[in-house]
Each structure stands twice: as structure tokens, then as C-alpha cells.
Amino acid sequence: MRPGFLRTAARAGVTAGLLSGIPSTVVCMVLGRDPLEATAAAGAMLLPHEQRQGVLVAAAIPVHAAISLGWAVVLTALLPARRTLLWGAAAGLAIAALDLGPLARPFPRIRALPLGPQIADHVAFGAIVGACVRGYSRSETGSGTP
């Protein structure tokens, strides 16, 4: 494991976890949907019988953090040193296929979310992790080139 790997993965996971929901949030706001529906759905993974949105939003914090950090560790380990943003976006698409496909089967509220915005969030997640990893690679080598 290269020096700073876990710090890079953690920073990438936190950054991507905080920012990658922007696409679906914007879509919800434009369409007049509840912008917290995806957050509540994530909370329902932990509390499947809970109906109160505030409780579900609170429960979503550790769920989303764990998922974001886990995927960030995987991407930080696997992304190539070049074109990390592009490869990260592609990896986000692959993660969407897993997260919204077979891994979503036990979670009806996740399956009920509109697919397009969720895919966009996943692609954004991968791209953001890729950008963070690229930034780390640049600082590690002292190079200004990707």
C-alpha cells in the first residue's frame, strides 16, 4: 500500500460523498420532488420499517458514509494514474450497476428512486474520487501533469 493511501481514500470518500448527490438533488428540485427522498431511502437501508423522514435522514449518515468510504477505498486502489477522472466516472457507472441493480434488491425504497438521477450521482461520485486521486498523485510526485 502506498504512503497516504488511506488518507487519500478517506478524503476522496468524504468529498465525493458530500458532493455526488448534487445531480439528483437538482433534478428533484426542478421536478418539484422531495430532494431528501434518496437520503431517506439510504436511511431505510438501516431502518426498513421507519417512516419518519427525520429519523431516516439521520440514519442515512452512517449508511452513506460507510458506502462512500468503502467505494472510495476500492477506487483509490484501482484507478490508474492517468485519466483518473474519466476512469473514475466509468467506475461510478459500474458501481451504479451494482448499487442500483443486484445490491438494491433487498431495499424497496432504493429500487423506487428514479434511475437516471441516481446513475448521475454515481458517475459524479466516481469522477470526484478520480479527481481526488489525481490530485493526490500530482502532489505525491511533485508533478503538475495528470
Side-chain angles (χ1 to χ4, degrees), residues 28-77:
C28 282
M29 293 173 72
V30 167
L31 297 178
R33 296 180 66 125
D34 180 3
L36 293 176
E37 73 179 332
T39 306
M45 293 172 72
L46 187 61
L47 302 172
H49 302 294
E50 181 61 57
Q51 296 299 317
R52 295 170 294 175
Q53 188 173 30
V55 174
L56 290 171
V57 168
I61 295 169
V63 170
H64 196 258
I67 292 168
S68 295
L69 291 171
W71 280 122
V73 167
V74 170
L75 293 184
T76 301

Side-chain angles (χ1 to χ4, degrees), residues 22 25 33 74 87:
I22 291 173
T25 301
R33 296 180 66 125
V74 170
W87 282 108

